[in-house]
Amino acid sequence: MVSTQRKAVALISGGLDSLLAAKAVMEQGVHVEGINFYTGFCVEGHTHAIRKKDKAKPKRNNALWVAEQLGIKLHIVDVIEEYKDIVINPSHGYGAHMNPCLDCKGFMVKKAHQWIDEHGFDFIITGEVIGQRPMSQRKDTMPVIARESGAGDLLVRPLCAQHLPPTLPEQEGWLDREKLFDFSGRTRKPQMALAEKYGFEDYAQPAGGCCFLTDEHYSKKFVDLWDARGERKYELDDIMLLKVGRHIRPRKHFKIIISREEGENNFLSGYRKMFASLKTTSHAGPLALLDGELTDDDIELAARIVARYSQGRSAEKVELEFTGKDGVSRLMEVVPMPPSQVQEDWHI
Ligand code: SF4
């Protein structure tokens, strides 16, 4: 009898759960490849890669690292444009912050379902665990993801499969249900024990989730962006810039993004053609981008704030170079703003 090796695609976030889920299925002789969706909000060591002080920390793409550990092919799929609708109009709402986890998971499984159709694969694997996350990984929301994604019983969650109805791969005997797992709840102990059994070390342990939308401060800056613009829209550059620098909005119609160190300075420099900017010239200091349409009075105010974050904060006067969006520069001199005048609610 000729046996056909079954093929599955595993959603790889870069965390431990998806690593273990893929491995558990590979152990049963299934050919597994990984898929990772790039939304623009992914954490993936982004700020570590920018900040100079984090230079010593390893910079790695965890999804690629997981694929390497497993010895599988990884498909990285850019979903930046399509994903906008998930973030802007999530039908199931947001989690604790701006994270639309339930819609997000449904979207990713749907994309994976399309992918297996196009590539002749048999089923989909995720590292979800019942009760692990408050929004997307609950017993009552797991069927929602399977149903709304259209994947139905082609969606296998190996780590908690024994708590769920048998999927097609289990019914067909492509997978032995007894060799899948019954993990549940927020404890990470079973995963850690399984990682040890499989010999995995040095895996990533994301605290809140796999993307910036679970971060309170990031979400606040994101909401501020929409409020200031009066519309719920964003471009990739917007959401990248929210990951970097100190964001200060002294007036509703403009915001200042001030680099906090050299790495951020370099990163923000790449955006100087898109924004007006300020840079101290008489003293060492940060680069600042100005987001909004600014009057001369606004520029003066912004310059005083930027001077306050430079080495000249105690000087009588600080000289700065202002460069408009048209690329034309001029020098200006201002009195640095005393800390007492920098209002708390300007900080986003
Ligand atoms: S944490 Fe982010 S990437 Fe992960 S499911 Fe939630 S919204 Fe999606």
Coordinates of all heavy atoms in Angstrom, one line a residue, residues 221-277:
K221 N -0.7 55.6 22.0 CA -0.2 56.5 20.9 C -0.9 56.2 19.6 O -1.1 57.1 18.8 CB 1.3 56.2 20.7 CG 2.2 56.7 21.8 CD 3.7 56.6 21.5 CE 4.2 55.2 22.0 NZ 5.6 55.0 21.9
F222 N -1.4 55.0 19.4 CA -2.1 54.7 18.3 C -3.5 55.4 18.3 O -3.9 56.0 17.3 CB -2.3 53.1 18.2 CG -2.8 52.6 16.9 CD1 -2.5 53.2 15.7 CD2 -3.6 51.4 16.9 CE1 -2.9 52.6 14.5 CE2 -4.0 50.9 15.7 CZ -3.7 51.5 14.5
V223 N -4.2 55.4 19.4 CA -5.5 56.0 19.5 C -5.3 57.5 19.4 O -6.1 58.2 18.7 CB -6.1 55.7 20.9 CG1 -7.3 56.6 21.2 CG2 -6.5 54.2 21.0
D224 N -4.2 58.1 19.9 CA -3.9 59.5 19.8 C -3.8 59.9 18.3 O -4.3 60.9 17.9 CB -2.7 59.8 20.6 CG -2.1 61.2 20.2 OD1 -2.6 62.2 20.7 OD2 -1.2 61.3 19.3
L225 N -3.2 59.0 17.5 CA -3.0 59.3 16.1 C -4.3 59.4 15.4 O -4.5 60.3 14.6 CB -2.2 58.1 15.5 CG -1.8 58.2 14.1 CD1 -0.4 58.9 14.0 CD2 -1.6 56.9 13.4
W226 N -5.2 58.5 15.7 CA -6.5 58.6 15.1 C -7.3 59.8 15.6 O -8.0 60.5 14.8 CB -7.3 57.3 15.4 CG -6.9 56.1 14.6 CD1 -6.1 56.1 13.5 CD2 -7.3 54.8 14.8 NE1 -5.9 54.9 13.0 CE2 -6.7 54.0 13.8 CE3 -8.1 54.1 15.7 CZ2 -6.8 52.6 13.6 CZ3 -8.3 52.7 15.6 CH2 -7.7 52.0 14.6
D227 N -7.2 60.1 16.9 CA -8.0 61.2 17.4 C -7.5 62.5 16.7 O -8.3 63.4 16.3 CB -7.7 61.4 18.9 CG -8.5 60.4 19.7 OD1 -9.4 59.7 19.1 OD2 -8.3 60.3 20.9
A228 N -6.2 62.7 16.6 CA -5.6 63.9 16.1 C -6.0 64.1 14.6 O -6.2 65.2 14.1 CB -4.1 63.9 16.3
R229 N -6.0 63.0 13.9 CA -6.3 63.1 12.5 C -7.8 63.1 12.2 O -8.2 63.3 11.1 CB -5.7 61.9 11.7 CG -4.2 62.0 11.7 CD -3.6 60.9 10.8 NE -2.1 61.1 10.9 CZ -1.3 60.2 10.4 NH1 -1.8 59.1 9.9 NH2 0.0 60.3 10.5
G230 N -8.6 62.7 13.2 CA -10.1 62.7 13.0 C -10.5 61.6 12.1 O -11.7 61.6 11.6
E231 N -9.7 60.6 11.9 CA -10.1 59.4 11.1 C -9.3 58.2 11.5 O -8.2 58.3 11.9 CB -10.0 59.7 9.6 CG -8.7 60.1 9.2 CD -8.6 60.3 7.7 OE1 -9.6 60.2 7.0 OE2 -7.5 60.7 7.2
R232 N -10.0 57.1 11.4 CA -9.3 55.8 11.8 C -8.6 55.2 10.5 O -9.2 54.4 9.8 CB -10.4 54.8 12.3 CG -11.0 55.3 13.6 CD -12.3 54.6 13.9 NE -12.1 53.1 14.2 CZ -11.8 52.6 15.4 NH1 -11.8 53.4 16.4 NH2 -11.7 51.3 15.5
K233 N -7.4 55.7 10.3 CA -6.6 55.2 9.2 C -5.2 55.2 9.6 O -4.8 55.9 10.5 CB -6.8 56.3 8.1 CG -7.8 56.0 7.0 CD -8.0 57.1 6.1 CE -7.1 57.0 4.9 NZ -7.4 58.0 3.9
Y234 N -4.4 54.4 8.9 CA -2.9 54.4 9.2 C -2.2 53.9 8.0 O -2.7 53.1 7.2 CB -2.6 53.7 10.5 CG -2.8 52.1 10.4 CD1 -1.8 51.3 9.8 CD2 -3.9 51.6 10.9 CE1 -2.0 49.9 9.8 CE2 -4.1 50.2 10.8 CZ -3.1 49.4 10.2 OH -3.3 48.0 10.2
E235 N -0.9 54.3 7.9 CA 0.0 53.8 6.9 C 1.1 53.0 7.7 O 1.3 53.3 8.9 CB 0.6 54.9 6.1 CG -0.4 55.6 5.2 CD -1.2 54.6 4.3 OE1 -0.6 53.6 3.8 OE2 -2.4 54.9 4.0
L236 N 1.9 52.2 7.0 CA 2.9 51.5 7.7 C 3.9 52.4 8.4 O 4.3 52.2 9.5 CB 3.7 50.6 6.7 CG 4.8 49.7 7.3 CD1 4.3 48.7 8.3 CD2 5.6 49.0 6.2
D237 N 4.3 53.5 7.8 CA 5.2 54.5 8.4 C 4.7 55.0 9.7 O 5.4 55.1 10.7 CB 5.5 55.7 7.5 CG 6.4 55.3 6.3 OD1 7.2 54.4 6.5 OD2 6.2 55.9 5.3
D238 N 3.3 55.2 9.8 CA 2.8 55.7 11.0 C 3.0 54.7 12.2 O 3.4 55.1 13.3 CB 1.2 55.9 10.9 CG 0.8 56.9 9.9 OD1 1.5 57.9 9.8 OD2 -0.2 56.7 9.2
I239 N 2.7 53.5 11.9 CA 2.8 52.5 13.0 C 4.2 52.1 13.3 O 4.5 51.7 14.5 CB 1.9 51.3 12.7 CG1 2.3 50.5 11.4 CG2 0.4 51.7 12.6 CD1 1.6 49.2 11.2
M240 N 5.1 52.3 12.4 CA 6.5 52.0 12.7 C 7.0 53.2 13.6 O 7.7 52.9 14.6 CB 7.4 52.1 11.4 CG 7.1 50.9 10.5 SD 7.2 49.3 11.3 CE 8.8 48.8 10.9
L241 N 6.6 54.4 13.3 CA 7.1 55.5 14.1 C 6.5 55.5 15.5 O 7.1 56.0 16.5 CB 6.7 56.8 13.4 CG 7.7 57.2 12.3 CD1 7.1 58.4 11.5 CD2 9.1 57.5 12.8
L242 N 5.4 54.8 15.7 CA 4.8 54.8 17.1 C 5.7 53.9 18.0 O 5.6 53.9 19.2 CB 3.4 54.2 17.1 CG 2.3 55.0 16.4 CD1 1.0 54.3 16.5 CD2 2.2 56.4 17.0
K243 N 6.6 53.1 17.4 CA 7.4 52.2 18.1 C 8.7 52.9 18.7 O 9.4 52.3 19.5 CB 7.9 51.0 17.3 CG 6.8 50.1 16.8 CD 7.3 49.0 15.8 CE 6.2 48.2 15.2 NZ 6.7 47.2 14.3
V244 N 8.9 54.1 18.2 CA 10.2 54.8 18.4 C 10.1 56.2 19.0 O 9.2 56.9 18.6 CB 11.0 54.9 17.1 CG1 12.3 55.6 17.3 CG2 11.1 53.6 16.4
G245 N 10.9 56.5 20.0 CA 11.0 57.9 20.4 C 10.0 58.3 21.5 O 9.1 57.5 21.9
R246 N 10.2 59.6 21.9 CA 9.3 60.2 22.9 C 8.2 60.9 22.1 O 8.6 61.7 21.2 CB 10.1 61.1 23.7 CG 9.6 61.6 25.0 CD 10.5 62.7 25.5 NE 11.9 62.3 25.7 CZ 12.3 61.7 26.8 NH1 11.5 61.4 27.8 NH2 13.6 61.4 26.9
H247 N 7.0 60.7 22.3 CA 5.9 61.4 21.6 C 5.2 62.4 22.4 O 4.7 62.1 23.5 CB 4.9 60.3 21.1 CG 5.4 59.4 20.0 ND1 4.8 59.3 18.8 CD2 6.5 58.6 20.0 CE1 5.5 58.4 18.0 NE2 6.5 58.0 18.8
I248 N 5.3 63.7 22.0 CA 4.7 64.8 22.7 C 3.8 65.6 21.9 O 4.1 65.9 20.7 CB 5.9 65.7 23.2 CG1 6.8 64.9 24.2 CG2 5.3 66.9 24.0 CD1 8.0 65.7 24.6
R249 N 2.6 65.8 22.4 CA 1.6 66.5 21.6 C 1.2 67.8 22.4 O 0.3 67.8 23.2 CB 0.3 65.7 21.3 CG -0.7 66.4 20.4 CD -1.9 65.5 20.1 NE -1.6 64.4 19.3 CZ -1.3 64.4 18.0 NH1 -1.2 65.6 17.3 NH2 -1.0 63.3 17.3
P250 N 1.9 68.9 22.1 CA 1.6 70.1 22.9 C 0.4 70.8 22.4 O -0.3 71.6 23.1 CB 2.8 71.0 22.7 CG 3.5 70.5 21.5 CD 3.0 69.1 21.2
R251 N 0.0 70.7 21.1 CA -1.2 71.2 20.6 C -1.9 70.1 19.8 O -1.2 69.3 19.2 CB -0.9 72.4 19.7 CG -0.5 73.6 20.6 CD -0.2 74.9 19.8 NE 0.3 75.9 20.8 CZ 1.1 76.9 20.5 NH1 1.6 77.0 19.3 NH2 1.4 77.8 21.4
K252 N -3.2 70.2 19.7 CA -4.0 69.1 19.1 C -3.5 68.8 17.7 O -3.5 67.7 17.2 CB -5.5 69.4 19.1 CG -6.3 68.3 18.6 CD -7.7 68.3 19.1 CE -8.6 67.3 18.5 NZ -8.1 66.0 18.3
H253 N -3.1 69.9 16.9 CA -2.8 69.7 15.5 C -1.4 69.3 15.2 O -1.1 69.1 14.0 CB -3.2 70.9 14.7 CG -2.5 72.1 15.1 ND1 -2.8 72.9 16.2 CD2 -1.4 72.7 14.6 CE1 -1.9 73.9 16.4 NE2 -1.1 73.8 15.4
F254 N -0.5 69.1 16.2 CA 0.8 68.6 15.8 C 1.4 67.8 17.0 O 1.1 68.0 18.2 CB 1.7 69.7 15.3 CG 2.4 70.5 16.4 CD1 3.6 70.2 16.9 CD2 1.7 71.7 16.8 CE1 4.2 71.0 17.9 CE2 2.3 72.5 17.8 CZ 3.5 72.2 18.3
K255 N 2.3 66.9 16.6 CA 3.0 66.2 17.6 C 4.5 66.2 17.3 O 4.9 66.3 16.1 CB 2.4 64.8 17.7 CG 3.3 63.6 17.6 CD 2.5 62.3 17.8 CE 2.9 61.4 16.6 NZ 2.5 60.0 16.9
I256 N 5.3 66.0 18.3 CA 6.8 66.0 18.2 C 7.2 64.6 18.5 O 6.8 64.0 19.6 CB 7.5 67.0 19.1 CG1 6.8 68.3 19.1 CG2 8.9 67.1 18.8 CD1 7.2 69.3 20.3
I257 N 8.1 64.0 17.7 CA 8.7 62.7 18.0 C 10.1 62.9 18.2 O 10.9 63.3 17.3 CB 8.5 61.7 16.8 CG1 7.0 61.6 16.5 CG2 9.0 60.3 17.2 CD1 6.7 60.8 15.2
I258 N 10.6 62.7 19.5 CA 12.0 63.1 19.8 C 12.7 61.8 20.1 O 12.3 61.0 20.9 CB 12.0 64.0 21.1 CG1 11.1 65.2 20.9 CG2 13.4 64.3 21.5 CD1 11.0 66.1 22.2
S259 N 13.9 61.7 19.4 CA 14.7 60.5 19.6 C 15.2 60.4 21.1 O 15.5 61.5 21.6 CB 15.8 60.4 18.6 OG 16.7 61.4 18.9
R260 N 15.4 59.2 21.6 CA 15.9 59.1 23.0 C 17.3 58.7 23.0 O 18.0 58.8 24.1 CB 15.0 58.1 23.8 CG 13.6 58.7 24.0 CD 12.7 57.6 24.7 NE 12.5 56.6 23.7 CZ 11.6 55.6 23.8 NH1 10.8 55.6 24.9 NH2 11.4 54.7 22.9
E261 N 17.8 58.3 21.9 CA 19.3 57.9 21.9 C 19.7 57.7 20.4 O 18.9 57.9 19.5 CB 19.6 56.7 22.8 CG 18.6 55.6 22.7 CD 18.9 54.7 21.5 OE1 18.4 55.0 20.4 OE2 19.5 53.7 21.7
E262 N 21.0 57.4 20.3 CA 21.6 57.4 18.9 C 20.9 56.5 17.9 O 20.7 56.9 16.8 CB 23.1 57.0 19.1 CG 23.9 57.5 17.9 CD 25.3 57.0 18.0 OE1 25.8 56.9 19.2 OE2 25.9 56.6 17.0
G263 N 20.6 55.3 18.4 CA 19.9 54.4 17.5 C 18.6 54.9 16.9 O 18.3 54.9 15.7
E264 N 17.8 55.5 17.8 CA 16.5 56.1 17.4 C 16.8 57.3 16.5 O 16.0 57.6 15.6 CB 15.7 56.5 18.7 CG 15.2 55.3 19.4 CD 14.2 55.7 20.5 OE1 14.0 56.9 20.8 OE2 13.5 54.8 21.0
N265 N 17.8 58.1 16.9 CA 18.2 59.2 16.0 C 18.4 58.8 14.6 O 17.9 59.4 13.6 CB 19.5 59.8 16.5 CG 19.5 61.2 16.8 OD1 18.6 61.7 17.4 ND2 20.5 61.9 16.3
N266 N 19.1 57.7 14.4 CA 19.4 57.2 13.1 C 18.2 56.7 12.4 O 17.9 57.0 11.2 CB 20.4 56.1 13.1 CG 21.8 56.5 13.6 OD1 22.1 57.7 13.5 ND2 22.6 55.6 14.2
F267 N 17.3 56.1 13.2 CA 16.1 55.6 12.6 C 15.2 56.7 12.1 O 14.7 56.7 11.0 CB 15.3 54.7 13.6 CG 14.1 54.1 13.1 CD1 14.1 52.9 12.3 CD2 12.8 54.6 13.4 CE1 12.9 52.4 11.8 CE2 11.7 54.1 12.9 CZ 11.7 52.9 12.1
L268 N 15.0 57.7 13.0 CA 14.2 58.9 12.6 C 14.8 59.7 11.5 O 14.0 60.3 10.7 CB 14.0 59.8 13.9 CG 13.2 59.2 15.0 CD1 13.0 60.3 16.1 CD2 11.8 58.7 14.6
S269 N 16.1 59.7 11.3 CA 16.7 60.4 10.2 C 16.2 59.9 8.9 O 16.1 60.7 7.9 CB 18.2 60.1 10.2 OG 18.8 60.8 11.3
G270 N 15.8 58.6 8.8 CA 15.3 58.0 7.6 C 14.0 58.7 7.2 O 13.5 58.5 6.1
Y271 N 13.3 59.4 8.1 CA 12.0 59.9 7.8 C 12.1 61.4 7.6 O 11.0 62.1 7.5 CB 11.0 59.6 9.0 CG 10.6 58.2 9.1 CD1 11.4 57.2 9.7 CD2 9.5 57.7 8.4 CE1 11.0 55.9 9.7 CE2 9.1 56.4 8.4 CZ 9.9 55.5 9.1 OH 9.5 54.2 9.1
R272 N 13.3 62.0 7.5 CA 13.4 63.5 7.5 C 12.8 64.1 6.2 O 12.4 65.2 6.2 CB 14.8 63.9 7.6 CG 15.3 63.8 9.0 CD 16.7 64.2 9.2 NE 16.8 65.7 9.3 CZ 17.9 66.3 9.7 NH1 18.9 65.7 10.0 NH2 17.9 67.7 9.8
K273 N 12.7 63.3 5.2 CA 12.1 63.8 3.9 C 10.6 63.9 4.0 O 9.9 64.6 3.3 CB 12.5 62.9 2.7 CG 13.9 63.1 2.3 CD 14.2 62.7 0.9 CE 15.5 63.2 0.3 NZ 16.6 62.5 0.9
M274 N 10.0 63.1 4.9 CA 8.5 63.1 5.0 C 8.0 64.1 6.0 O 6.8 64.4 6.0 CB 8.1 61.7 5.5 CG 8.3 60.6 4.4 SD 7.9 59.0 5.1 CE 6.2 59.1 5.6
F275 N 8.8 64.5 7.0 CA 8.4 65.4 8.1 C 9.3 66.6 8.1 O 10.4 66.5 7.8 CB 8.4 64.6 9.4 CG 7.5 63.5 9.5 CD1 7.9 62.2 9.1 CD2 6.2 63.6 10.0 CE1 7.1 61.1 9.2 CE2 5.4 62.5 10.2 CZ 5.8 61.3 9.8
A276 N 8.7 67.7 8.7 CA 9.6 68.8 9.1 C 10.4 68.2 10.3 O 9.9 67.3 11.0 CB 8.7 70.0 9.5
S277 N 11.6 68.8 10.6 CA 12.4 68.3 11.7 C 13.1 69.4 12.4 O 13.3 70.5 11.8 CB 13.4 67.2 11.2 OG 14.2 67.8 10.2

